């Protein structure tokens, strides 16, 4: 799953994207959402979800919280 | 304009207005005046354009009166779209069964469509649908100088901006029929909820000092030469039918550091956790989305200055502080709590304790205060997330019923004989409306939204065509309680006049105070 797809799915659920930037190792994107969730998405398609609203975002993406997945 | 100049101007305006208010109506004036209103209640729902809910309300400036120009959406190159693009990823929210998929929304004619049309998608009002971009620069690009013909082009949800609903069986439709529907009421600022909640209480744009030297630096937007539109990225799809537009930097801050898209409150409850080892009452200031505490004067400050009692009642406020947030219920929204961005209402202050009140789950504590008759002179009520009608996570029906229930309690309150209630929406939620907003200042007004005026003094069964915006609520409160005028209102009034637009009203056009 790429960053654009993650943003599309989460924002379609009414959760605004509040920040998007390349990560410090320049191998992926760091996304922040209005409900407090953050998603670290790698250029390889891996994703890690954390923060206050992580359960909701994980549900929208069909991904587990704080674990890596495609 | 530099911040210090702004504040100096505000101080001057404050002195002038304080002098002016001294000669205005005084307590004890004839009982047929504004002083009859002793209790003001503002109910602030979420993300609906006027045409989206009330586009076929009898007597209103609805979809039937839309020009061909605004009905037909244009592509990014200015050409008229031959058909609408599909709703990307589908019209219904994830988990809705049966879903309306992206494929089912292919080849819609270029024009508005009704989501609950029995001959169309037939999606009931109780279903949550796809959210849409509702952002500061995109809203201006979509309005396109008043033509309203680029909502699809500069949205992220394909055809979705052209959606509307038949709400004629809804509870609030009936309330609007009994009282006043204002059909030229516009959102105070362009864009989204964060910004428009600020306009409701401050008529101002929040500011992030030295943002270019802060963690928020990458959140500074890159605009084109107009300063009112985002700079389009080289790899952006050329046509709206090919996908969502891409921008060089679609940030939260303007190039001169005003916060116009969602930032998190500096105080809990905030989307951002406290810093590790830091004060648990604060949000981590090092997070790029944490807005520093604000100091611009608010309507709350003005009310307190004049010893007028007031409160911001927030659904699920205490629940969220005590138990954390939960979705889909109550789905508390951190950026819908505008006073939580201001140093005057920081944790530990007496002002916070007095004025930022828990409305309870589903507004139960607020309703209790209504029933007992102990509302302050001015109340703002923010329903919790699942009851606010926001696309993507809330449906229309639940919020409509909840707000109508609150109105019913208000009508039975001991305070009702001298009450004025305004039910409105914070912003349009990225949804198309056909009426051109008045030309104002840099910050707004934006797209037209519904507003219903409920009061024993309201004209009954009346559609009020007076131009209003969110700051009209502040105008009413300011006039009624003889407050100093917030600087943003002065600027807005001057800008509207400079454009030759009729002045924005104070909501009394919907009242019969005689």
């Amino acid at each position: 799953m790429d960053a654009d797809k993650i943003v599309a799915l989460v924002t379609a659920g009414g959760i605004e994207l509040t920040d998007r930037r390349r990560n410090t190792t320049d191998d992926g994107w760091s996304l922040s959402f209005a409900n407090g969730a953050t998603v670290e998405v790698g250029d390889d398609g891996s994703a890690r979800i954390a923060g206050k609203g992580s359960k909701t975002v994980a549900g929208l993406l069909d991904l587990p919280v704080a674990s890596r997945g495609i | 304009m530099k911040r210090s100049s702004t504040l100096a101007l505000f101080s001057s305006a404050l002195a002038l207005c304080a002098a002016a208010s001294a000669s205005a109506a005084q307590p004890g004036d004839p009982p047929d005046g504004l002083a009859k209103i002793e209790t003001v209640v503002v109910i602030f729902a979420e993300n609906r354009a006027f045409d989206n809910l009330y586009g076929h309300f009898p007597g209103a400036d609805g979809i039937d009166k839309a020009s061909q120009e605004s009905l037909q959406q244009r592509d990014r190159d200015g050409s008229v779209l031959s058909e609408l693009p599909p709703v990307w990823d589908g019209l219904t929210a994830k988990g809705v069964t049966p879903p309306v998929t992206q494929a089912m929304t292919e080849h819609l004619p270029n024009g508005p469509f009704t989501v609950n049309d029995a001959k169309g998608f037939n999606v009931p009002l109780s279903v949550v649908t796809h959210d849409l971009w509702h952002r500061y620069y995109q809203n201006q690009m979509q309005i396109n100088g008043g033509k309203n013909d680029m909502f699809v082009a500069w949205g992220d949800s394909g055809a979705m901006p052209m959606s509307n609903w038949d709400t004629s069986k809804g509870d609030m439709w009936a309330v609007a029929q009994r009282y006043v529907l204002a059909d030229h009421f516009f959102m105070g600022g362009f864009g989204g909820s964060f910004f428009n909640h600020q306009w409701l209480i401050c008529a101002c744009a929040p500011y992030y000092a030295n943002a270019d030297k802060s963690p928020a630096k990458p959140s500074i937007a890159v605009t084109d030469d107009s300063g009112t539109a985002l700079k389009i990225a080289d790899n952006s799809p050329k046509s709206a039918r090919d996908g969502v537009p891409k921008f060089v930097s679609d940030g939260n801050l303007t190039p001169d550091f005003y916060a116009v898209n969602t930032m998190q409150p500096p105080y809990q409850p905030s989307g951002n956790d406290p810093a590790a080892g830091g004060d648990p009452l604060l949000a981590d200031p090092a997070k790029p989305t944490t807005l520093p505490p604000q100091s611009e004067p608010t309507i709350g400050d003005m009310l307190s200055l004049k010893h007028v009692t007031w409160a911001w009642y927030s659904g699920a406020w205490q629940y969220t502080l005590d138990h954390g947030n939960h979705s889909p219920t109550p789905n508390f929204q951190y950026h819908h709590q505008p006073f939580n961005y201001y140093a005057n209402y920081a944790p530990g202050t007496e002002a916070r304790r007095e004025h930022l009140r828990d409305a309870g789950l589903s507004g139960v504590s607020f309703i209790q205060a209504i029933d007992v008759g102990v509302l302050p002179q001015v109340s703002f009520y923010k329903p919790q997330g699942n009851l606010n009608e926001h696309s993507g996570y809330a449906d229309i029906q639940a919020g409509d019923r909840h707000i109508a229930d609150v109105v019913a309690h208000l009508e039975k309150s001991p305070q009702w004989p001298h009450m004025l209630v305004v039910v409105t929406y914070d912003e349009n939620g990225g949804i198309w409306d056909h009426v051109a907003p008045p030309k104002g200042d840099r910050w707004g007004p934006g797209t037209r939204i519904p507003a219903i005026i409920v009061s024993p003094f309201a004209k009954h069964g009346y559609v009020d065509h007076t131009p209003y915006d969110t700051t009209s609520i502040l105008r009413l409160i300011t006039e009624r309680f003889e407050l100093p005028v917030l600087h943003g209102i002065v600027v807005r009034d001057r800008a509207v006049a400079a454009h030759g637009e009729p002045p924005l009203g104070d909501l009394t056009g919907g009242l019969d105070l005689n």
Side-chain angles (χ1 to χ4, degrees):
Chain A
M1 196 177 288
D2 66 20
D4 286 343
K5 187 67 178 173
I6 288 172
V7 170
L9 292 173
V10 176
T11 56
I15 304 169
E16 283 178 73
L17 178 72
T18 53
D19 192 54
R20 172 181 177 148
R21 63 186 66 196
R22 291 295 289 175
N23 63 20
T24 50
T25 48
D26 197 29
D27 60 355
W29 293 93
S30 179
L31 310 173
S32 299
F33 294 95
N35 71 343
T38 58
V39 181
E40 299 292 333
V41 52
D43 293 334
D44 61 357
S46 61
R48 182 187 293 271
I49 307 170
K52 280 187 175 175
S54 53
K55 265 189 176 176
T56 304
V57 166
L60 291 167
L61 300 175
D62 288 328
L63 291 174
V65 178
S67 63
R68 296 188 81 85
I70 301 295
Chain B
M1 185 181 290
K2 286 183 179 174
R3 196 69 164 173
S4 55
S5 306
T6 308
L7 285 173
L9 263 177
F10 170 79
S11 301
S12 305
L14 189 95
L16 278 172
C17 296
S21 67
S23 61
Q26 299 293 310
D29 272 356
D32 55 350
L34 206 53
K36 278 182 173 178
I37 299 167
E38 295 173 1
T39 307
V40 176
V41 178
V42 181
I43 301 176
F44 217 42
E46 283 286 310
N47 288 41
R48 298 288 163 183
F50 184 91
D51 281 335
N52 186 248
L53 298 184
Y54 295 93
H56 298 291
F57 193 90
D61 185 355
I63 296 172
D64 298 340
K65 296 180 182 173
S67 67
Q68 196 62 23
E69 189 180 52
S70 69
L71 284 170
Q72 286 200 321
Q73 292 296 294
R74 292 180 181 274
D75 209 344
R76 291 168 198 153
D77 65 358
S79 63
V80 175
L81 286 162
S82 59
E83 62 182 30
L84 296 178
V87 180
W88 310 116
D89 294 312
L91 185 145
T92 45
K94 182 180 169 63
V96 169
T97 53
V100 176
T101 64
Q102 178 176 315
M104 294 162 72
T105 63
E106 297 272 5
H107 310 304
L108 283 170
N110 185 356
F113 64 96
T114 303
V115 181
N116 55 342
D117 181 354
K119 295 174 185 166
F121 296 119
N122 198 23
V123 172
L125 285 159
S126 57
V127 164
V128 180
T129 51
H130 193 296
D131 197 16
L132 316 86
W133 266 350
H134 38 285
R135 298 176 65 78
Y136 177 75
Y137 288 110
Q138 285 90 330
N139 188 216
Q140 295 176 76
M141 297 165 79
Q142 291 172 312
I143 291 169
N144 192 25
K147 293 195 284 288
N148 292 316
D149 57 0
M150 302 293 272
F151 272 79
V152 169
W154 299 120
D156 69 334
S157 53
M160 204 64 201
M162 300 309 291
S163 63
N164 62 73
W165 299 80
D166 176 1
T167 59
S168 61
K169 304 287 192 294
D171 292 350
M172 284 308 296
W173 181 288
V175 171
Q177 282 185 312
R178 289 205 305 276
Y179 295 101
V180 176
L181 178 67
D183 71 347
H184 279 76
F185 190 111
F186 299 83
M187 54 206 244
F190 299 113
S193 298
F194 162 79
F195 198 53
N196 275 287
H197 280 74
Q198 297 297 327
W199 273 83
L200 174 64
I201 67 153
C202 180
C204 71
Y207 189 69
Y208 197 131
N210 303 312
D212 57 341
K213 300 177 186 68
S214 80
K217 182 181 178 183
S219 290
I220 298 171
V222 175
T223 61
D224 67 10
D225 291 341
S226 73
T228 60
L230 292 167
K231 188 172 184 182
I232 298 163
D234 292 339
N235 63 344
S236 181
K238 300 298 180 204
S239 170
R241 295 176 61 187
D242 295 334
V244 179
K246 294 177 188 288
F247 303 105
V248 173
S249 178
D250 178 11
N252 301 332
L253 308 176
T254 63
D256 54 348
F257 312 155
Y258 288 93
V260 290
N261 289 315
T262 302
M263 297 286 285
Q264 295 287 351
Y267 312 119
Q268 300 299 334
S270 171
N272 288 341
D273 286 318
D279 188 334
L281 299 176
L282 307 182
D284 184 350
K287 289 280 176 79
T289 54
T290 301
L291 189 68
Q294 298 294 293
S295 56
E296 196 82 355
T298 66
I299 194 70
D301 298 332
M302 299 298 108
L303 288 164
S304 295
L305 187 70
K306 296 296 291 278
H307 307 291
V308 178
T309 58
W310 68 277
W312 178 275
Y313 286 93
S314 177
W317 171 266
Q318 196 60 47
Y319 174 91
T320 304
L321 284 168
D322 293 345
H323 307 289
N325 202 0
H326 292 94
S327 178
T329 303
N331 203 3
F332 180 84
Q333 299 294 311
Y334 307 105
H335 60 296
H336 295 177
Q337 319 304 328
F339 288 104
N340 202 29
Y341 291 84
Y342 286 81
N344 280 354
Y345 305 96
T349 60
E350 177 61 20
R352 185 182 184 91
R353 190 199 62 73
E354 183 176 350
H355 300 298
L356 306 197
R357 297 188 191 171
D358 176 37
L361 286 174
S362 301
V364 66
S365 302
F366 178 56
I367 290 171
Q368 194 172 35
I370 293 169
D371 292 345
V372 176
V374 293
L375 289 178
Q377 288 164 286
V378 177
S379 299
F380 299 92
Y381 173 52
K382 187 69 203 178
Q384 65 194 41
N386 65 304
L387 299 175
N388 70 17
E389 303 185 42
H390 191 299
S391 300
Y393 61 75
D395 64 78
I396 294 170
Q397 182 173 281
D400 187 84
R401 287 180 175 173
H402 171 64
I403 292 170
D405 181 51
V406 171
V407 169
H409 280 271
L410 289 165
E411 289 176 313
K412 293 175 196 148
S413 169
Q415 295 170 286
W416 169 251
H418 298 279
M419 184 181 288
L420 182 138
V421 183
V422 185
V423 179
T424 188
Y425 292 74
D426 64 337
E427 37 105 351
N428 70 321
I431 303 169
W432 168 86
D433 185 89
H434 82 273
V435 175
K439 288 186 171 57
D441 52 55
R442 172 183 179 182
W443 311 114
T447 299
R448 189 174 60 144
I449 51 177
I452 301 168
I453 301 166
V454 180
S455 171
F457 306 113
K459 295 173 183 173
H460 291 272
Y462 183 70
V463 178
D464 184 2
H465 305 304
T466 309
Y468 300 122
D469 77 354
T470 308
T471 64
S472 294
I473 298 168
L474 302 181
R475 286 183 177 84
L476 177 92
I477 294 170
T478 299
E479 289 171 14
R480 166 58 188 87
F481 297 105
E482 301 176 41
L483 310 179
V485 182
L486 292 167
H487 179 61
I489 296 177
V490 177
V491 172
R492 175 65 46 92
D493 285 344
R494 286 179 186 159
V496 167
H499 285 294
E501 301 272 1
L504 298 169
D506 58 4
L507 305 183
T508 54
L511 304 180
D512 182 358
L513 292 163
N514 297 314

